[in-house]
Amino acid sequence: MANNNVEIAARMREQEEKNTKRRAQLLGLNYLDSRTLGDFPLVTDYLSNKEMYDGYVVPLTAPSDEHNLTFGITINTPQPLLRQIRQRYQDNNVEFYLISNAGFRDIMLRYDPPKKVIYENVKIAKEGDSDTIAAVSKTLDTVRSDDILNYLIEQAYKLGASDIHIEPQREAVRVRFRVDGALHPVANVTHDKYRVLLASIASRANISTAATREAQTGHMTQQVTKADGQADILNMRIETVPTVYGQDAVVRLFNFDVSLLNLDNLGLNAVERQEVDHIISHPHGMLLVVGPTGSGKSTTLYSIVNALNSPARKILTLEDPVEFSIGGVSQIPVATAAGDSFAEKLRAVLRLDPDVIMVGEIRDNDTARTAIQASITGHLVLSTFHANDAASALSRMIDMIGVNPIFSSAIRLIIGQRLVRRLDKDAREAYTPDEATTTWIREVLKGLPPSETPDLNNITLYKPVITEENPFGYKGRLMLLEQMVVTEEIQKFLRGEAKDVNAEAITAVAKKQGMLSLLQDGVLKALRGETTLEEVNRVI
């Protein structure tokens, strides 16, 4: 694992140097790869450490004579500072070279060796908790400008956050973390801090800080320390979109632990697990996972890929981006923003004779048809699809590919899913619902087999309790899912033999064959005290 982290870090640095060189060419500046300098003699007579930190500028080499001075600058270095330095040393020949932010940090570690600085940990605030927001904002003011991005990422990682939202507004810039699917404010930072923060993101993720009308996507990684003290590489996707007061940025943290990518962790009941095992044991066919962004689709697909991963199978994935590396699997990035398409890459990889293909997302007719053709010619195809539920996904797929008897046996299983917050067992309280809620629950669960129906005469629900250890009463997330096995009756919709081809008709047939809907699964889990009805209704 250590060697793998070193390799990833080296690739990260190489990419940052390429990005910096490209920026230097665009800006008409000289570029220098600071890795070539080695342990050059430090020059301490021209700038103080504070000036270097504040201006993102460093003296690079000892002058060969008193008339030549060389400085390294970054994309964060203010232009007025360059003029000030030229003015200060107007009797000298002053040259500036653009270096990467990583190079600047490495050089500054020689000028200013790291001290043990303990910053307070971020605490996420409850609604209306201005005191906590103010306290964290004050802590952020003490964090060195060049460390603020690393600090936020480390704190988000410690809290188990999936996203960092940086949102510029009129008076200040709001920072929020998404924890267990819910957004929580953590701090407000000044626009000056925001500009430094955005510049750091831009440099590492290869996006532009210039005023732009276009949304941008980038990727970056950072080394973090796990609870057991081991170092790990955290992958992140960056999304920015211009707003009235600046670029709104979201940092999505992909913190996959391969040991957790296990079908046993998905919360499948015995029947659902048997259905999945049966489908993926076949050498061909298609399995779709559907749901909105942030519903855990990637985790489900990775868990299935991990279950199938063996020396006897060739597994290929097409992803935009590759979110997590799995040993033994050939993972291929698809840069759709640069003009790549899933359909073209899929046609190319079919020539490699794979057994299993994971397509990150079916977005268009061409990809849908190509994936289905692959699934009926001896390949097991796994993919995600944006739809509200399993029946809607099948209805949309029919709209994309048309009614086609040849394709009717291709799609074998559709899994619809959502993520809800899981109640903390040590911070929950039982209560008896009112009559209206009781009647609604009975209506939702009507028609379930007696073996799956709890006692609806004595209904107990649970609600979160706020404690000092847990200010929200929730801990972790729980998957709600529905599994629609594409049986002979469901295939009639694909063949055009059904009278009505719509989501409602498909759902009715699937329920008759024993499918548990997302709402029913959520209500049953609320009755077991795993989550709340409020959470179920929030996501469905």
Side-chain angles (χ1 to χ4, degrees):
M1 184 58 143
N3 289 336
N4 188 41
N5 286 345
V6 170
E7 291 174 7
I8 294 173
R11 288 200 299 270
M12 290 163 46
R13 179 62 183 272
E14 184 63 31
Q15 185 60 48
E16 186 169 349
E17 293 299 334
K18 288 179 180 178
N19 294 341
T20 304
K21 184 176 182 179
R22 186 160 52 246
R23 289 174 188 272
Q25 292 170 343
L26 291 172
L27 296 171
L29 296 171
N30 295 317
Y31 162 73
L32 178 67
D33 185 342
S34 60
R35 293 174 298 181
T36 64
L37 294 176
D39 291 335
F40 63 90
L42 298 183
V43 184
T44 57
D45 299 334
Y46 297 100
L47 296 173
S48 67
N49 283 2
K50 185 177 186 307
E51 287 177 308
M52 288 187 252
Y53 274 122
D54 291 346
Y56 289 87
V57 58
V58 288
L60 281 180
T61 56
S64 55
D65 60 63
E66 60 183 10
H67 299 296
N68 292 287
L69 297 177
T70 305
F71 294 90
I73 61 174
T74 76
I75 61 168
N76 299 330
T77 305
Q79 286 297 315
L81 179 60
L82 305 186
R83 293 193 291 270
Q84 291 173 19
I85 291 175
R86 288 190 187 278
Q87 181 66 28
R88 187 188 304 181
Y89 301 108
Q90 57 185 323
D91 295 333
N92 303 81
N93 176 35
V94 176
E95 287 189 288
F96 297 110
Y97 284 82
L98 191 69
I99 61 176
S100 65
N101 279 1
F104 171 79
R105 289 193 297 270
D106 288 347
I107 293 171
M108 285 308 302
L109 286 176
R110 298 188 60 215
Y111 278 99
D112 186 17
K115 304 175 181 66
K116 190 70 173 178
V117 179
I118 306 297
Y119 296 118
E120 288 187 27
N121 288 330
V122 163
K123 294 181 180 177
I124 53 181
K126 293 177 284 187
E127 187 174 352
D129 185 0
S130 57
D131 290 341
T132 298
I133 295 173
V136 178
S137 302
K138 185 176 180 180
T139 298
L140 282 174
D141 284 338
T142 68
V143 178
R144 276 192 337 203
S145 295
D146 55 323
D147 284 342
I148 189 169
L149 177 59
N150 290 346
Y151 172 72
L152 284 175
I153 292 170
E154 287 172 3
Q155 294 300 311
Y157 176 80
K158 287 180 180 177
L159 288 168
S162 60
D163 309 272
I164 303 171
H165 290 249
I166 302 163
E167 303 159 326
Q169 299 174 332
R170 181 192 293 272
E171 300 298 331
V173 178
R174 181 172 62 179
V175 179
R176 295 193 289 174
F177 290 173
R178 188 181 295 279
V179 180
D180 293 336
L183 276 171
H184 301 282
V186 296
N188 293 317
V189 300
T190 65
H191 282 277
D192 287 339
K193 279 275 188 185
Y194 161 76
R195 282 188 283 272
V196 173
L197 182 56
L198 191 64
S200 297
I201 292 173
S203 173
R204 291 169 58 180
N206 194 27
I207 60 176
S208 173
T209 57
T212 174
R213 297 180 180 178
E214 302 297 328
Q216 300 178 85
T217 298
H219 306 96
M220 67 184 192
T221 54
Q222 179 170 313
Q223 183 169 297
V224 292
T225 303
K226 297 191 289 188
D228 60 5
Q230 296 294 312
D232 196 11
I233 296 296
L234 183 64
N235 294 297
M236 287 162 281
R237 183 167 75 210
I238 315 302
E239 303 287 351
T240 68
V241 64
T243 70
V244 173
Y245 300 110
Q247 293 192 52
D248 189 306
V250 176
V251 181
R252 296 200 66 195
L253 284 67
F254 297 113
N255 180 25
F256 282 118
D257 183 342
V258 71
S259 66
L260 299 178
L261 297 177
N262 192 311
L263 289 174
D264 293 335
N265 296 331
L266 297 183
L268 305 173
N269 63 37
V271 174
E272 292 165 342
R273 177 60 186 270
Q274 187 178 18
E275 290 172 347
V276 171
D277 288 340
H278 176 69
I279 297 301
I280 67 176
S281 68
H282 282 68
H284 60 84
M286 176 183 283
L287 184 152
L288 288 176
V289 182
V290 305
T293 300
S295 60
K297 299 187 299 294
S298 295
T299 300
T300 298
L301 280 189
Y302 274 128
S303 297
I304 294 172
V305 167
N306 208 30
L308 291 167
N309 193 7
S310 74
R313 290 190 181 95
K314 183 175 182 66
I315 303 177
L316 296 173
T317 73
L318 302 174
E319 304 174 63
D320 180 22
V322 175
E323 296 177 0
F324 186 78
S325 178
I326 300 179
V329 176
S330 299
Q331 295 171 267
I332 302 166
V334 181
T336 53
D340 285 354
S341 79
F342 280 105
E344 289 176 2
K345 284 288 180 77
L346 180 54
R347 283 190 282 267
V349 302
L350 285 174
R351 295 192 288 269
L352 301 178
D353 190 29
D355 298 296
V356 180
I357 307 168
M358 186 187 101
V359 181
E361 184 181 350
I362 292 178
R363 300 177 180 174
D364 52 60
N365 295 11
D366 194 14
T367 306
R369 287 181 168 271
T370 306
I372 287 180
Q373 286 167 351
S375 71
I376 60 178
T377 55
H379 307 89
L380 179 60
V381 179
L382 316 171
S383 189
T384 69
F385 195 55
H386 278 281
N388 284 332
D389 52 37
S392 298
L394 189 63
S395 179
R396 277 196 61 208
M397 187 63 71
I398 293 170
D399 290 339
M400 293 176 75
I401 65 174
V403 173
N404 192 324
I406 297 175
F407 291 163
S408 64
S409 62
I411 303 174
R412 306 289 303 279
L413 178 67
I414 303 178
I415 301 174
Q417 63 184 59
R418 296 287 192 281
L419 290 175
V420 294
R421 289 183 290 176
R422 184 193 295 271
L423 274 172
D424 186 345
K425 291 183 178 179
D426 297 323
R428 67 178 184 176
E429 179 182 318
Y431 71 95
T432 301
D434 58 31
E435 189 57 37
T437 303
T438 300
T439 301
W440 178 80
I441 290 173
R442 289 171 180 160
E443 184 64 28
V444 169
L445 299 182
K446 186 170 64 176
L448 289 186
S451 60
E452 297 181 20
T453 307
D455 182 5
L456 298 181
N457 295 316
N458 297 289
I459 294 178
T460 300
L461 293 174
Y462 296 83
K463 59 185 177 182
V465 176
I466 307 306
T467 66
E468 188 174 340
E469 294 77 18
N470 189 335
F472 303 102
Y474 294 97
K475 190 174 184 180
R477 288 198 282 180
L478 174 72
M479 186 180 293
L480 307 184
L481 55 84
E482 62 182 18
Q483 288 192 177
M484 187 172 74
V485 179
V486 183
T487 61
E488 179 66 26
E489 287 299 309
I490 300 293
Q491 287 179 11
K492 289 180 180 179
F493 292 97
L494 287 162
R495 293 198 294 264
E497 298 173 7
K499 182 179 178 181
D500 297 314
V501 181
N502 55 57
E504 291 77 13
I506 296 170
T507 298
V509 173
K511 281 188 173 182
K512 284 181 181 178
Q513 298 182 48
M515 184 187 80
L516 204 64
S517 72
L518 280 167
L519 184 57
Q520 289 171 332
D521 188 44
V523 169
L524 289 173
K525 285 172 177 170
L527 291 173
R528 293 198 292 265
E530 298 175 33
T531 187
T532 64
L533 276 189
E534 290 73 19
E535 273 294 290
V536 173
N537 286 315
R538 180 178 67 85
V539 302
I540 300 177

